[in-house]
Amino acid sequence: MKYIKSFLIYICLLFPLTGIAQKKQLQTVRDQIKSGKELTKAENTLRGLLVDSVSKKNNKIWLLLCDALIKQYEQGNEKLYLKQKYDTAAFFSVTRRLYDTMSRFDSLDAKPDAEGRVRAKYRTKHAEFLNSIRPNLFNGGSYFIHKKDYNTAFDYYSDYLESANYPLFEGYDYMKNDALIPHAAYWAMFCGYKLSDADKIMRFKEQAERDTSMLNFVRQYEAEAYLVKRDTAMYVKSLQAGFEQYPNFAFFFPRLVEYYAKIGEHQKALEITDRALKADSTSLLFRFAKSTALLNLGRYNECIEICKQLIKDNDSYADAYYNIGLAFFNQAIELNKDRQKYRANKEKIITLYQRSKPYMEKFRELSPTAKSKWLAPLYTIYLNLNMGKEFDEIDKLRKEK
């Protein structure tokens, strides 16, 4: 019992000492804020105090922290205005910390009293101040995008968007009235895309879709998110939706055609190219894609006809030569497979190889590094046409590692 009494006396003595120490700390902080010096030190002191569960409910500490941050902001703003040397990243960081601190304090300030009444004493004042510096959250995101720090940039745009719904800003209705909301959401998606982070890409998708000027890229990033998630069904669905809206946009069409070709749905690929050509009948890409679909479907004459027109329009279009060469080559291969009719078909087979040869050689000339595409066909062509010199040269290339 004696020991318990001693312990209680010790505790009672300790509390006043702790209170006196905290009062001294707070007075030091007030002096630092008033002088405008050692503001970072003042901020750290206050944050250290707020770790304590009791102090965390102390309005005075929160308000001093707000004052310390406002003072830092004002000093930075003045230096930037006067074009004096100042850490721009630090200035934007103070803006974020102000938003975080004031919104957290608001939950304490707006806590209902015993009768359930909410009387937020500082809400109006703090909301007005934060509203005045709000553009710096958006500008901070832009700053870090230029620095290619996409994680930090995303955090700024995220704060910009999520703060729009803070109780602190009751009555501002940012989601309806702030014209920058869709743009901030778009740039947040862009950061997620750069980070290959599907969750970040999709977090503000609905708001980003309101940015009609960048909706084609929004649709692209949505598709990329599903690709990151390996959700093939939704990826293809997104490509289809994007293509329907933006048939001429460079992203959707080639990936959609590539997907159908990869799974052997060449008729689907042809249908896509026909729809694309309705949007732009002159597009070299769309016309070539159609020739490839026709080639894969074994509709060789139609493929050749399109590719000859492409060469007429652009005589250095390497892939058009390749498709013609392959159209003739494939027909020769197909006839050659029927060994029982080889004698009857031999002359026709040789003719097809002869027709393929100049186009495949031209493709090699225009695309010398595409060895994987022209090596095997030319080897077979030279072999069947008994072209010794050319065959020896291509055979040597074939044996090279």
Side-chain angles (χ1 to χ4, degrees):
M1 190 69 181
K2 182 180 178 181
Y3 291 113
I4 293 173
K5 286 181 179 178
S6 298
F7 178 73
L8 291 173
I9 292 169
Y10 172 75
I11 293 296
C12 291
L13 290 172
L14 180 63
F15 276 137
L17 290 173
T18 304
I20 291 168
Q22 189 179 96
K23 283 183 179 179
K24 286 184 177 180
Q25 284 181 303
L26 294 180
Q27 186 55 52
T28 300
V29 165
R30 288 189 187 95
D31 293 340
Q32 290 167 331
I33 293 172
K34 187 175 180 180
S35 67
K37 297 177 181 178
E38 298 185 301
L39 293 172
T40 301
K41 188 175 180 181
E43 179 186 349
N44 291 336
T45 298
L46 294 166
R47 292 192 184 280
L49 292 173
L50 288 171
V51 171
D52 179 70
S53 59
V54 176
S55 297
K56 194 178 288 185
K57 299 175 184 178
N58 190 326
N59 284 14
K60 290 181 181 179
I61 298 175
W62 280 103
L63 290 170
L64 279 173
L65 179 56
C66 291
D67 289 341
L69 290 167
I70 289 171
K71 197 76 171 183
Q72 288 181 62
Y73 178 86
E74 289 173 345
Q75 287 183 356
N77 194 44
E78 182 180 0
K79 287 181 179 180
L80 289 174
Y81 179 76
L82 297 173
K83 296 183 179 179
Q84 295 176 355
K85 188 177 180 181
Y86 186 69
D87 185 347
T88 307
F91 175 70
F92 289 129
S93 177
V94 173
T95 303
R96 280 195 74 203
R97 299 203 303 279
L98 273 162
Y99 262 76
D100 176 67
T101 301
M102 288 186 173
S103 63
R104 288 168 66 193
F105 170 69
D106 182 68
S107 63
L108 180 64
D109 187 36
K111 190 175 181 180
D113 62 18
E115 297 179 16
R117 294 171 299 186
V118 174
R119 294 176 177 177
K121 186 177 178 181
Y122 295 92
R123 174 171 288 182
T124 300
K125 178 184 175 182
H126 286 176
E128 287 177 355
F129 175 74
L130 291 179
N131 180 63
S132 71
I133 67 170
R134 184 170 169 77
N136 288 322
L137 287 178
F138 189 96
N139 295 335
S142 301
Y143 173 82
F144 284 104
I145 279 180
H146 287 302
K147 295 288 183 181
K148 300 188 186 306
D149 184 351
Y150 300 113
N151 260 315
T152 304
F154 179 87
D155 289 340
Y156 276 87
Y157 291 122
S158 179
D159 283 355
Y160 188 90
L161 292 158
E162 290 180 350
S163 65
N165 293 315
Y166 286 172
L168 178 62
F169 294 115
E170 184 180 13
Y172 282 80
D173 200 0
Y174 284 125
M175 284 298 174
K176 179 181 178 183
N177 299 323
D178 185 354
L180 286 178
I181 288 288
H183 303 307
Y186 165 77
W187 286 114
M189 285 192 85
F190 173 80
C191 292
Y193 163 69
K194 284 292 187 179
L195 294 166
S196 296
D197 187 323
D199 292 333
K200 281 183 167 65
I201 293 172
M202 301 297 273
R203 191 173 302 175
F204 304 106
K205 178 178 79 75
E206 290 183 7
Q207 293 96 322
E209 287 174 345
R210 289 164 50 193
D211 187 355
T212 54
S213 66
M214 303 299 287
L215 190 54
N216 49 354
F217 285 100
V218 169
R219 297 297 184 217
Q220 173 184 336
Y221 302 152
E222 288 175 14
E224 293 281 6
Y226 291 121
L227 189 62
V228 171
K229 289 181 175 182
R230 297 182 180 178
D231 188 339
T232 304
M234 287 303 299
Y235 172 64
V236 174
K237 189 175 180 180
S238 294
L239 290 179
Q240 290 169 334
F243 174 70
E244 288 296 330
Q245 277 186 288
Y246 304 100
N248 290 323
F249 189 57
F251 180 81
F252 303 109
F253 175 79
R255 285 162 181 79
L256 200 52
V257 169
E258 180 184 24
Y259 169 76
Y260 286 128
K262 186 177 180 180
I263 64 172
E265 291 279 358
H266 303 302
Q267 185 59 43
K268 282 265 192 183
L270 182 61
E271 290 169 8
I272 291 292
T273 59
D274 282 336
R275 278 153 57 193
L277 285 165
K278 286 181 180 179
D280 184 359
S281 61
T282 64
S283 168
L284 291 178
L285 172 63
F286 296 164
R287 290 153 66 195
F288 175 73
K290 181 171 183 176
S291 78
T292 302
L294 291 167
L295 178 70
N296 290 330
L297 286 167
R299 292 163 61 174
Y300 300 119
N301 291 337
E302 294 171 79
C303 166
I304 291 167
E305 184 180 345
I306 290 175
C307 287
K308 283 184 175 179
Q309 187 59 51
L310 287 172
I311 292 169
K312 186 178 178 182
D313 295 341
N314 181 356
D315 61 5
S316 61
Y317 199 152
D319 286 332
Y321 290 98
Y322 180 74
N323 272 10
I324 295 177
L326 207 57
F328 287 123
F329 181 84
N330 285 354
Q331 290 179 77
I333 293 294
E334 287 172 11
L335 286 175
N336 209 5
K337 286 179 182 177
D338 191 345
R339 303 309 297 175
Q340 292 181 346
K341 295 182 179 180
Y342 177 75
R343 288 181 178 274
N345 290 332
K346 184 176 180 181
E347 187 176 337
K348 191 174 183 180
I349 290 170
I350 295 299
T351 300
L352 287 168
Y353 280 136
Q354 288 173 336
R355 288 181 179 176
S356 175
K357 174 179 168 294
Y359 291 103
M360 203 58 74
E361 287 177 335
K362 184 65 176 180
F363 173 71
R364 179 187 178 183
E365 177 189 328
L366 293 171
S367 301
T369 59
K371 188 177 175 182
S372 61
K373 295 177 76 173
W374 51 255
L375 183 62
L378 284 177
Y379 175 88
T380 303
I381 289 168
Y382 293 151
L383 175 64
N384 280 274
L385 297 181
N386 294 317
M387 299 178 68
K389 180 181 176 183
E390 288 82 357
F391 175 80
D392 289 342
E393 185 263 343
I394 210 81
D395 188 45
K396 184 178 178 182
L397 285 175
R398 191 175 65 90
K399 291 176 181 177
E400 288 178 358
K401 290 184 179 180

